[in-house]
Amino acid sequence: MTSLAERPRAVGELADELPISRPAVSQHLRVLKDAGLVTDRAVGTRRVYRLSPEGLGALRDQLDTFWQRALHGYQDIAEQPTEEKS
Amino acid sequence: MTQAAAVVVRREIVVQATVERAFTVFTTRFGDFKPPEHNLLGAPVVETVLEPRVGGAIIDRAADGSECRWARVLVHEPPHRVVFSWDISPQWQVETDPERASEVEVRFVAEGPDRTRVTVEHRNLDRHGEGWPAVSDGVADDAGWPLYLARFAALLTAGD
């Protein structure tokens, strides 16, 4: 993340700088990409990764959806006729 | 949109139930209404338990006996308020560092004898990011997340 904060970089560049292998870098980037924290684009034959400024917004959107769905499910249960345990 | 709005999620709903029932359903049946797609365990969750006390946990238990403690109860004031930590990373894995956890406050306000407004505030979402630069194997540098946040703030300002 720190390296990407300086400027966008390709996988090979990141692997050269970091004490981990290129496959490990790719795997790490995939997780970050799935989380919406980095984005990638093809530049010639390389794939360049950059930090996504929308990452925090993506986390927020994900949780917003989570709570919206949870509250609707909650409403269904809360409004059921009270069961025997009331 | 403001930056504060970006690190907080607020949702509310009005239910036809007494405030006591609203609180009880929320705190004892969380596992029954939580969206199931984000399962932190490798097996189906058979129950979710919210231990009804400060210092308690919220625990998912799977059919194979494994369990996942993904929240700490911070406030437990029936029937009006419960606050718990959200020890789940943006990658939907358990976050073991409490400094990198957000928190959820749920309030229950009676609007009538059989009508309750339930508000959820999920706040401090930015805390989930504070440790990320340190994750990259000891590269100590404050250019990562703060810079990222600054860019994010700039984006929001530009969008106003």
Side-chain angles (χ1 to χ4, degrees):
Chain A
M1 291 292 281
T2 305
S3 296
L4 288 179
E6 291 168 14
R7 62 180 171 81
R9 281 171 159 82
V11 178
E13 288 179 83
L14 287 166
D16 288 345
E17 290 175 16
L18 300 170
I20 52 177
S21 68
R22 186 175 170 133
V25 170
S26 293
Q27 193 174 5
H28 198 70
L29 285 169
R30 199 173 311 123
V31 171
L32 292 172
K33 191 182 163 188
D34 288 346
L37 299 171
V38 301
T39 60
D40 62 341
R41 68 190 167 93
V43 176
T45 59
R46 300 186 311 165
R47 190 148 283 280
V48 175
Y49 288 82
R50 62 168 66 231
L51 285 186
S52 165
E54 294 87 2
L56 186 56
L59 172 63
R60 182 185 178 279
D61 288 348
Q62 194 177 55
L63 292 170
D64 190 56
T65 301
F66 175 90
W67 285 113
Q68 182 184 23
R69 293 189 54 195
L71 284 181
H72 279 112
Y74 162 74
Q75 183 177 36
D76 289 344
I77 294 174
E79 294 184 353
Q80 277 167 8
T82 312
E83 314 90 75
E84 68 285 354
K85 66 182 177 185
S86 80
Chain B
M1 192 180 174
T2 65
Q3 189 174 0
V7 295
V8 176
V9 167
R10 287 192 191 87
R11 281 273 169 189
E12 63 175 38
I13 200 161
V14 175
V15 296
Q16 297 296 324
T18 63
V19 67
E20 289 80 10
R21 175 169 168 79
F23 183 91
T24 300
V25 167
F26 197 99
T27 54
T28 63
R29 299 187 62 184
F30 194 81
D32 293 339
F33 59 83
K34 180 179 65 161
E37 71 271 24
H38 294 300
N39 179 358
L40 277 64
L41 290 165
V45 171
V46 291
E47 66 169 356
T48 298
V49 176
L50 184 151
E51 295 176 325
R53 62 174 190 277
V54 172
I58 304 180
I59 306 159
D60 282 350
R61 291 204 175 93
D64 64 3
S66 59
E67 64 173 43
C68 170
R69 305 169 84 89
W70 57 268
R72 291 160 285 124
V73 177
L74 305 173
V75 176
H76 190 263
E77 297 172 353
H80 295 296
R81 187 170 167 245
V82 63
V83 180
F84 52 89
S85 64
W86 183 268
D87 302 344
I88 301 173
S89 75
Q91 292 81 31
W92 291 87
Q93 289 173 353
V94 172
E95 175 59 71
T96 54
D97 181 354
E99 297 296 311
R100 298 211 307 252
S102 52
E103 69 180 39
V104 178
E105 176 172 46
V106 190
R107 287 179 175 272
F108 304 83
V109 178
E111 293 211 327
D114 198 30
R115 191 175 153 87
T116 303
R117 179 176 300 273
V118 180
T119 61
V120 170
E121 180 174 292
H122 192 154
R123 61 197 175 215
N124 303 335
L125 299 183
D126 53 316
R127 284 194 193 168
H128 287 293
E130 282 171 6
W132 285 337
V135 172
S136 52
D137 216 9
V139 182
D141 187 340
D142 63 3
W145 184 247
L147 175 60
Y148 171 39
L149 269 187
R151 285 184 184 176
F152 182 61
L155 180 82
L156 293 173
T157 308
D160 279 344

